[in-house]
């Protein structure tokens, strides 16, 4: 047992059984000033206000649930900094991909990289994320693009899951781009054929359902083949209004992600479903794409999650506080809306919100302890000032 005392502000409190927040509730969260929190067996046993003696001094700082990052591609080899220069010189994401750069470039690098080296490089990023307060993360395959290399990625994700204190969820994203040497049709069939083996490792299946990548029909076939084996989480509407949201909802996707380009039809399609719309402002920032219409989703009564999309091509950054700040600055979310988007709702979007994402009795005591003087508004406002004293997993 341990007890955190001298907490200036305990924020992110939710009643038991609240697994996501939607509509007006996304703008609310419980807070206590001058608080304490008792931990038993790594879980939040109790909390309250007033002076207490304990073994972890919060030094008057804020205590919040750790960040949950429900969408990353952090297992990759090498770097794509060469393409960064192409981008600066004016080439779009699609043009870089069409020249053999992009995802296929990462696939070639990954193919040449031994598995233990891929693990080593990826662990550098996982440690960076944990240091910045991420306590649960999802990692996708999708730089293998053939059966051997996709499984190599899934094994590396499993090894990361076994070695880090953060919780890791694994997603099979075979349908990220057409693998080298395949026709479109042959590769879609190859992805379908990989599903049983991938399901031995992964929790989720993902498809990049977007213009120039996979069609709604491809997505429908892949998700049908994965039914009962892997829950869908879909890349949709990054490059075009793709129909990916609707096909995701049809297959009861846990989340539909990106949504830089959405119309009212997507918002309508999501109402009353269990699917979490998830936006990735880091890729809007890096690629110069429109930011998702998070505010409109919330006005329509939906909840919104935010994640980093940490990857070498469209978002080389896994800083969830920066994601939260962009939610406020670029998407006009209130600090509490953005905070709920990077904690409880992103935990929901990766299937861990029974355990993570809020200060709730019984949940894992996966917490960020901040320096004194911080609150949720300052977190998004002063978004580059170091704020973390300690992360508990
Ligand atoms: O989510 N959009 C597709 N996949 C990634 C980018 C992957 C890459 O460029 O390496 C994304 O943005
Ligand atoms: Fe992505």
């Amino acid at each position: 047992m341990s007890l955190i005392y001298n907490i200036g502000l305990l924020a992110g409190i939710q009643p038991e059984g609240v697994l996501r927040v939607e509509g007006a509730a996304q703008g609310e969260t419980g807070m206590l000033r001058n608080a304490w929190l008792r931990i038993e067996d790594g879980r939040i046993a109790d909390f309250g206000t007033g002076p207490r003696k304990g073994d972890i001094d919060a030094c008057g700082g804020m205590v919040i649930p750790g960040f949950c990052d429900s969408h990353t591609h952090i297992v990759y080899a090498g770097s794509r900094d060469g393409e960064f220069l192409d981008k600066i010189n004016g080439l779009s994401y699609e043009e870089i991909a069409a020249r053999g750069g992009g995802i296929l470039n990462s696939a070639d690098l990954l193919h040449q990289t031994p598995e233990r080296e891929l693990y080593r490089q990826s662990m550098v990023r996982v440690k960076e994320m944990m240091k910045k307060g991420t306590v649960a993360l999802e990692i996708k395959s999708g730089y293998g693009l053939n059966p051997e290399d996709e499984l190599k990625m899934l094994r590396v994700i499993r090894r990361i899951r076994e070695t880090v204190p953060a919780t890791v969820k694994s997603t099979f994203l075979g349908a990220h781009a057409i693998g080298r040497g395949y026709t479109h049709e042959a590769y879609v069939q190859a992805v379908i054929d990989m599903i049983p083996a991938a399901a031995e490792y992964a929790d989720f299946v993902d498809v990049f359902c977007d213009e120039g990548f996979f069609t709604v029909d491809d997505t429908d076939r892949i998700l049908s083949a994965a039914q009962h084996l892997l829950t869908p989480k879909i890349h949709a509407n990054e490059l075009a209004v793709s129909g990916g949201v609707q096909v995701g909802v049809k297959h009861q996707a846990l989340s539909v992600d990106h949504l830089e380009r959405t119309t009212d039809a997507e918002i309508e399609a999501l109402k009353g479903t269990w699917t979490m719309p998830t936006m990735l402002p880091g890729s809007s920032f890096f690629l110069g794409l429109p930011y998702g219409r998070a505010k409109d989703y919330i006005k329509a009564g939906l909840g919104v999650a935010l994640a980093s999309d940490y990857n070498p091509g469209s978002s080389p950054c896994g800083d969830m506080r920066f994601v939260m700040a962009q939610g406020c600055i670029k998407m006009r979310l209130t600090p509490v809306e953005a905070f709920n988007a990077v904690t409880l709702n992103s935990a929901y979007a990766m299937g861990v919100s029974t355990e993570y994402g809020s200060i709730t009795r019984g949940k894992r005591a996966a917490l960020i302890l901040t320096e004194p003087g911080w609150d949720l508004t300052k977190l998004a406002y002063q978004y580059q000032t170091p704020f973390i004293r300690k992360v508990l997993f």
Side-chain angles (χ1 to χ4, degrees), residues 110 140-157 171-176 187 194 198:
L110 186 129
K140 299 175 195 294
S141 73
Y143 295 122
L145 308 183
N146 63 54
E148 295 71 36
D149 291 333
E150 281 295 309
L151 285 179
K152 173 164 135 184
M153 287 191 78
L154 291 171
R155 283 193 301 271
V156 167
I157 298 170
T171 299
F172 171 55
L173 176 57
H176 196 194
Y187 190 65
M194 285 180 229

Side-chain angles (χ1 to χ4, degrees), residues 71 73 140 235 258 309:
H71 182 139
H73 308 249
K140 299 175 195 294
H235 275 75
H258 270 292
D309 198 19

Side-chain angles (χ1 to χ4, degrees), residues 18 27 29-30 45 64 68 90 102 130 165 183 200 204 210 291 294 312 331 334 339 370-371 380:
V18 177
T29 192
I64 54 174
C68 297
M130 292 192 302
T183 62
E200 300 288 317
F204 305 114
D210 223 318
Y291 285 82
M331 303 162 102
T334 66
F339 168 76
T370 79
E371 297 290 349

Side-chain angles (χ1 to χ4, degrees), residues 326-383:
Q326 288 181 297
C328 295
I329 297 159
K330 293 295 191 179
M331 303 162 102
R332 306 188 54 222
L333 297 176
T334 66
V336 173
E337 286 170 340
F339 168 76
N340 280 326
V342 295
T343 53
L344 186 59
N345 282 358
S346 49
Y348 177 94
M350 58 184 284
V352 300
S353 68
T354 54
E355 296 274 65
Y356 289 92
S358 64
I359 305 292
T360 303
R361 286 179 191 85
K363 280 198 185 183
R364 296 276 293 266
L367 306 169
I368 298 173
L369 279 59
T370 79
E371 297 290 349
W374 286 82
D375 58 31
L376 295 182
T377 302
K378 186 172 170 184
L379 210 55
Y381 168 64
Q382 207 152 332
Y383 63 89

